[in-house]
Amino acid sequence: MRVDLVTKEYPPEIYGGAGVHVAELVKALRRDIEVVVHAFGAPRSEAGTRSYPVPGELASANPALQTLGVDVAIAADVAGADIVHSHTWYANFAGRTAQLLHGIPHVVTAHSLSRCARGRRSSSAGATGCPPGSNAMPVSPRTPSSP
């Protein structure tokens, strides 16, 4: 059994809870099964870990296109895995694309989709609609006219 984990955050490039979660998950899973980590960013020396910088052709592109470029490279490299498990929205496109390309199950751990999540909160409610210091995105009730 080989599980390929796809993540933007992985040591030493960790800036939040998702990276800590993935690092601990990999350590636990590797006791029993083969795990290959596909991580955004600079090269890493850890065995079973592959790193993916932004493709050179996208160096001056906006960050969303850079993310998709990394995701496409990762999706191609997942060949041979039994399961692909993506962490955060950054890596989800790679996981879903790998699922479609290679015919394998895809597991998603979204972590946080909130624009008010730790590390992304605003200093004023006016900028994002989130209260200062908030860790949760406000929810608006749906009305019959809402989509």
Side-chain angles (χ1 to χ4, degrees):
M1 162 78 55
R2 183 178 119 196
V3 175
D4 283 26
L5 271 75
V6 182
T7 181
K8 181 168 175 69
E9 295 182 48
Y10 196 69
E13 297 178 29
I14 292 182
Y15 53 87
V20 172
H21 170 84
V22 173
E24 292 299 314
L25 180 61
V26 168
K27 186 171 25 171
L29 288 174
R30 282 186 171 158
R31 290 183 204 133
D32 298 311
I33 61 172
E34 180 182 1
V35 177
V36 176
V37 176
H38 302 269
F40 286 53
R44 292 160 172 89
S45 59
E46 180 182 323
T49 302
R50 302 173 187 165
S51 299
Y52 300 83
V54 171
E57 302 85 359
L58 296 175
S60 62
N62 76 36
L65 290 176
Q66 291 177 347
T67 297
L68 291 174
V70 171
D71 282 335
V72 168
I74 291 172
D77 285 352
V78 170
D82 296 296
I83 297 173
V84 61
H85 184 180
S86 62
H87 291 265
T88 75
W89 71 267
Y90 293 97
N92 186 49
F93 183 74
R96 176 65 174 143
T97 303
Q99 176 187 26
L100 295 171
L101 284 174
H102 308 298
I104 57 175
H106 175 215
V107 176
V108 177
T109 302
H111 294 280
S112 175
L113 299 176
S114 170
R115 61 189 169 156
C116 297
R118 184 172 49 120
R120 291 185 293 279
R121 64 181 101 153
S122 170
S123 59
S124 68
T128 65
C130 304
S134 171
N135 282 335
M137 183 183 225
V139 177
S140 301
R142 288 195 176 263
T143 63
S145 61
S146 296

